[in-house]
Amino acid sequence: MKLNLVLRELHRAETALARNLRRAAERHRVEHEVHHVALDLAEWSARHVRDLAATARSRGLGLDAHSADRPGLLAPLRTTISELAVHRPEPGLLLLRDLRALHRTTAGLSVDWELLAQAAQAARELDLLALAQRCHPDTLRQLKWTNAMLKVLSPQILIG
Amino acid sequence: MPSRDGIAEPWGTRTPYGPGERWPTRVDTRLADGVTADDVDEWVPTASVLHSNGDGLHLAVKDGRVVGVRGRADDRVNHGRLDPKDLFAWQANRSADRLTTPLVRDGGRLVEASWDEAMGRVVERSRALLGDRGPGSIGFYTSGQLFAEEYYTLAAVAHGAIGTNHVDGNTRLCTATAAAALKESFGCDGQPGSYTDVDHADVIALFGHNVAETQTVLWSRMLDRLAGPNPPLLVCVDPRTTAVARAATVHLAPLPGTNVALMNGLLHEVVAHDRVDHDFVERSTVGFADLAEQVRQWPPERAAAICGVPAEEIRHAARVLGGARRLLSTVLQGFYQSNQATAAAVQVNNLHLLRGMIGKPGAGVLQMNGQPTAENTRECGADGDLVGFRNWNNDAHVADLTELWNLDANAIPHFSPPTHLMQMLRYAENGSLRMLWVSATNPAVSLPELARVRSILGQDRLFLVVQDIFRTETAELADVVLPAAAWGEKTGTFTNADRTVHLSRRAVDPPGQARADLDIFLDYARRMDFRDRDGARFPPWHDPESAFAAWQRASAGRPCDYSGLDYDMLAERSGVQWPCNAEHPDGTERLYADGKFFAAPDYCENYGRDLVTGAPMEATEYRAMNPDGKAMLKAADYVPPHERPGEEFPLSLITGRTVYHFHTRTKTGRTPQLRDAAPEVWVEVSAPDAEAHGVTEGDLVEVSTPRGSVRAHARVSAIRPGVLFLPFHYGYWDTEAPPDGDREHHRAANELTMTDWDPVSKQPLFKTAAAALTRIAAGDRPAAAPTTGAATPLDPTVPATTGGPAATVQETHAAEQTAGGAR
């Protein structure tokens, strides 16, 4: 069965999303709502990673439960660069690029959860189905958030 | 006639009453020394403007000057009573330092100018920006203290004529979460309850609401119930030991930022013990299963560990709430300005929906306001909403407004929600917003992280227009200053926190060249030569009464329906609650009495937002979730605050009000009785924290956060250990040498607050900061803090706050009144 492959991919993608959310938060320190909410949402992905690792362990698959727990080494540098450019309009385009990338990553992740849920139902793997039902709604909320921030922020950035 | 010291006794003499009885009348009067009621030429109707309670009163006028105030016995809100600020602050209107002429910036200095010169500059810059950068380069930041006619005019000018999405009010700081929570639960703004619910309730629960200091007359009503037969039980949630907490049956003092955890713990008990009105929930709500699942995960022990409140106290409070037969809940800044503001306020709505306690006498929710006219900012569309609670995300609502204004189909921007203040400020910071017009508010003291705010408002590239009655800290940064008429010097209507509309008539002339805010906005529209699609002048109205008539048409058919009101009726009857229309000619005491809500997908103001991420829901999602327009139970998980105490900054800092001041003290600091009652900033410290830092009552201390530091004298009080409190009223206009650089700013509480806001309501979180306390020097006297409210000292030898002979207030009790004087 290839379900373990799906679990590995989900683990990789959730770890990456947590990292990318934190990086976006640091890079856009002066965009306060993006900064704070992105950090909160990174915690959701870190929780998913722990949940994935626990479920995987019971299936004999080793996944690092803490791969998404810590911010990266360059965090202070990214924050400082953001603060130095606080009066400049140019980081706005970078913000749109980052939100767009987050949106695409999250969309892919959402599909992966969908795949896991479908396969888990077909295989009657109820622990995997429960895992998907716990985590996937969060992914959809993360997805709506990136979309909403793009909608709200883009007009001023692209016209202003 | 009995009298009292209006400073020493903010709540006046008790007039006890029992459940279901009429609250007795007590008329408070304060006239200038040497003036008696017989000397007064005219009593001009209005209502209070230095809080949100909406107490009906008359201004006493003699020889063209205001000489005092008297509460209206026939007013439904106050039955004659007045707040200390109402009793004395009218004196500030005639301060010698009122703005009396426009000012313009020349060579780095503000110099006097004519209206033509000042408005000419505003118009010139507006035209240049519209030509070069478009309407998104212009923003408006207004108030919670103007009149409905003025907000409606500003909304028409900004959203309609200019076509900018950037319009907000300082209601963002005070009441945005009330509006957001009502929209989330009921699909639309609009206060469900009524102050008369105090007369019937058997349990009153105050969530982060220090009513004793924010709405003193409402607290008097509660005190009179407490003093009468069969008094209500009181539940208080507040980290400070307020006057409310001292009177409470149960006082929960959670750590700042943990309200959602606490509410989930309370709701856990309500559901676990099945104190749920299942018929009501089934008939009138959606979302029960999700909420029940969320709160199932919150046994009181889990909530207790996060909130720092004993689990048994949570259980006790839940028993009181769950056992209530007529439950009245009120909510204010302890929830609205804290972490997860809207999510927490929504849980209070959930409590009432679960218990089926809404729309009935004594069973209601009051999501309170902080300011006198905040409700109008919201309903008139001057605060990040569209006119008449229209839905920015519903094309039919926007088209309806376009039609009403007779503008081109695409005139009103609605590609996203109207821009909230904190985002506008960010746009000014990055240079994409180049003109900001500030009316009747003082962001240079009232916004969080003041060093940042000053750096934004002080930019050369930002054209800052400030319209005010005094030369505020913000006016000092302006390019053009416009002198406005104050309350009592202009006519208009305004609406309090329980939907009561009052008329406020012009009693005296404004000083010098000062003009009514309405006239200033209309003058701008004429000079800009705004036109509707048929070439007629826009807005078409020209004075308060024609503006009111236009607003009535805009409100007709919406929840905030004013179509049945007029100026004469309001002058005659004093306060009337909206909706007031052909169906409800006398107004409406309680919304949702029939279990029907303003939540139908085609009618609602808003499709709601994710309570954690703030992402707006779309129409299709809303239709699927709530096709029949029921009330919505919405669950929220707890998310920790974004700044928490740690090694370097071990304490939690919160900010707030005192009973004697309003906002940045522009009026109350110019009122001798109020100024002297609370003359200087202080910091409240608990006894254990004081001891740990070697601090005693009156010592000079420094409070610091990662953003700055404030020096203040310590008031050792019964505040929750681990928490510091600073009043936010004190800025720099009355310091001896106004500071030059940021390093000299050590008085305003907002030097310390962080830039963070609730993702749902966009209300700044003034009650999230990690702080350190350092003793600087011994004090030679107690802190100059009031002894009457939450700042009550632990040291019993501290002299009580009094006002002396200058603060004498006459009280007329019901028995002494002539027949027909009270209804």
Side-chain angles (χ1 to χ4, degrees), chain B residues 44-48 55-59 69-72 82 86 487:
Chain B
V44 180
T46 180
S48 49
D55 301 324
L57 60 92
H58 281 112
L59 285 171
V69 289
R70 185 174 69 193
R72 282 188 74 153
L82 292 177
D86 304 329
W487 165 79

Side-chain angles (χ1 to χ4, degrees), chain B residues 9-35:
Chain B
E9 298 175 71
W11 309 295
T13 309
R14 294 282 56 76
T15 54
Y17 71 124
E21 293 173 9
R22 189 182 184 284
W23 187 29
T25 300
R26 184 196 84 199
V27 175
D28 294 345
T29 307
R30 167 71 197 173
L31 296 172
D33 288 338
V35 177

Side-chain angles (χ1 to χ4, degrees), chain B residues 555-596:
Chain B
S555 73
R558 296 299 299 163
C560 50
D561 195 331
Y562 281 64
S563 57
L565 294 168
D566 62 56
Y567 276 18
D568 290 339
M569 170 185 177
L570 289 168
E572 161 65 24
R573 280 194 43 188
S574 204
V576 179
Q577 288 173 288
W578 66 245
C580 179
N581 49 24
E583 197 184 336
H584 305 284
D586 294 322
T588 307
E589 190 166 25
R590 293 177 186 85
L591 300 183
Y592 314 139
D594 50 4
K596 299 271 186 289

Side-chain angles (χ1 to χ4, degrees), chain A residues 22-23 25-27 29 35 71-84:
Chain A
R22 289 197 181 107
R23 280 191 181 164
E26 292 148 10
R27 225 182 341 240
R29 177 69 189 83
H35 172 80
L73 290 173
L74 296 176
L77 177 63
R78 282 189 286 264
T79 301
T80 304
I81 290 171
S82 171
E83 285 166 351
L84 287 174

